[in-house]
């Protein structure tokens, strides 16, 4: 099992696996409700849209798919990445979604027209994880070179975090596509998440969890190191966070 998510209401769970399938579960009793089939090879990531009725997934087949959790149909398939998709993010209510890939790009997609709205970043190294969040007003997100498409919804004032294989953690203005910061860590970054509009967390392959203030990324607020096992996922929880490691 490569990824899990729970619907906003808490009723359903979704899981993805290296066997190429996805399952929708009844969260209360673990009963399988739907089998989602259509990816070739490993499925790497899944998440529910805010509605809790629709699921976004990405796989090693370089395809991003949207599924109905109610009848298991694949509603949309996005193609454009040249390598396996490693993570996704949903902008606001989900008219636009984001994906990152082994091909080094992060892309913004329009769900209604199933089209790519643009490459947000092209890093030349695998992007292992992304997160999107509202940025503090004091952060300069840059200005877009071209006026955004009217199909781009909810990208203003947002920052995209990129957890890169080349030991860098990058912040990019989602609407501007301009770099905001670049932080160099001890090893490949596997995952990242927001704690607030100013604070973020990111985890590395050699077991470090960095807490950074996006307004000044010269030095981390703290570095947590429990073991040398890779940090694989991070999730804000109450006043702290949950981390999973490869041990």
């Amino acid at each position: 099992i490569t990824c899990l998510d729970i619907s906003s209401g808490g009723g359903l769970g979704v899981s993805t696996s290296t066997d190429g399938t996805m399952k929708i579960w009844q969260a209360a009793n673990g009963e399988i409700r739907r089998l989602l089939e259509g990816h070739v090879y490993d499925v790497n990531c899944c998440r529910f849209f805010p509605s809790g009725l629709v699921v976004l997934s990405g796989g090693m087949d370089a395809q991003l798919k949207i599924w109905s959790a109610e009848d298991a149909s694949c509603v949309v398939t996005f193609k454009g990445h040249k390598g396996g998709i490693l993570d996704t993010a949903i902008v606001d209510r989900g008219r636009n979604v984001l994906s990152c890939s082994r091909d080094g790009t992060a892309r913004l997609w329009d769900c209604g027209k199933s089209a790519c709205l643009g490459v947000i970043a092209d890093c030349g190294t695998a992007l292992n994880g992304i997160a999107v969040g509202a940025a503090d007003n004091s952060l300069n997100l840059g200005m877009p070179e071209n006026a955004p498409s009217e199909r781009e919804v909810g990208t203003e004032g947002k920052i995209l975090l990129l957890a890169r294989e080349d030991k860098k953690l990058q912040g990019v203005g989602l609407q501007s596509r301009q770099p905001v910061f670049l932080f160099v860590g001890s090893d490949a970054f596997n995952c990242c998440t927001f704690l607030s509009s100013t604070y973020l967390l990111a985890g590395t392959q050699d077991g470090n969890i960095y807490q950074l203030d996006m307004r000044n990324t010269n030095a981390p607020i703290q570095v947590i190191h429990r073991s040398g096992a890779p940090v694989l996922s991070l999730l804000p929880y109450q006043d702290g966070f949950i981390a999973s490691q490869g041990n």
Side-chain angles (χ1 to χ4, degrees):
I1 294 170
T2 50
C3 190
L4 297 166
D5 196 22
I6 300 288
S7 65
S8 51
L12 295 176
V14 61
S15 59
T16 59
S17 169
T18 54
D19 68 7
T21 67
M22 301 167 61
K23 292 180 170 69
I24 304 271
W25 309 81
Q26 196 71 39
N29 59 13
E31 184 185 318
I32 297 176
R33 293 290 302 275
R34 297 281 180 266
L35 188 64
L36 310 183
E37 293 180 297
H39 278 290
V40 191
Y41 317 123
D42 306 16
V43 193
N44 293 328
C45 46
C46 57
R47 63 180 71 239
F48 278 99
F49 279 76
S51 67
L53 304 173
V54 187
V55 171
L56 179 67
S57 69
M60 288 309 271
D61 56 8
Q63 296 187 93
L64 190 67
K65 288 178 177 285
I66 296 176
W67 309 80
S68 162
E70 297 172 299
D71 67 6
S73 60
C74 178
V75 193
V76 175
T77 298
F78 299 110
K79 294 181 180 177
H81 279 295
K82 304 282 189 288
I85 293 168
L86 300 179
D87 200 8
T88 61
I90 293 173
V91 183
D92 291 348
R93 300 293 301 166
R95 285 175 64 183
N96 291 175
V97 298
L98 291 148
S99 59
C100 69
S101 164
R102 291 173 75 165
D103 67 12
T105 67
R107 291 171 181 264
L108 181 71
W109 307 87
D110 172 7
C111 295
K113 294 219 165 139
S114 58
C116 181
L117 289 169
V119 175
I120 306 297
D122 189 349
C123 299
T125 183
L127 298 179
N128 296 321
I130 51 173
V132 66
D136 185 78
N137 292 335
S138 62
L139 271 181
N140 177 11
L141 298 179
M143 293 298 292
E145 288 174 12
N146 305 308
S149 155
E150 74 273 7
R151 302 291 305 177
E152 209 171 293
V153 184
T155 56
E156 195 178 353
K158 302 280 200 317
I159 186 167
L160 181 67
L161 301 181
L162 306 168
R164 297 168 40 154
E165 182 68 23
D166 62 0
K167 306 185 183 182
K168 291 172 183 161
L169 180 77
Q170 187 172 1
V172 177
L174 183 54
Q175 190 175 80
S176 70
R177 327 293 205 238
Q178 304 294 327
V180 178
F181 69 83
L182 191 66
F183 174 79
V184 181
S186 56
D187 203 349
F189 279 98
N190 291 329
C191 51
C192 52
T193 191
F194 289 89
L195 289 175
S196 69
S197 61
T198 51
Y199 297 127
L200 65 87
L201 290 174
T204 59
Q205 184 67 14
D206 61 358
N208 284 328
I209 298 170
Y210 291 90
Q211 185 183 349
L212 297 173
D213 183 330
M214 287 182 278
R215 296 165 298 188
N216 177 9
T217 56
N218 293 334
I221 298 167
Q222 63 169 337
V223 183
I224 301 160
H225 187 91
R226 291 285 165 84
S227 81
V231 182
L232 300 176
S233 61
L234 292 163
L235 192 68
Y237 181 69
Q238 294 177 359
D239 296 331
F241 64 90
I242 297 167
S244 73
Q245 292 188 254
N247 55 3

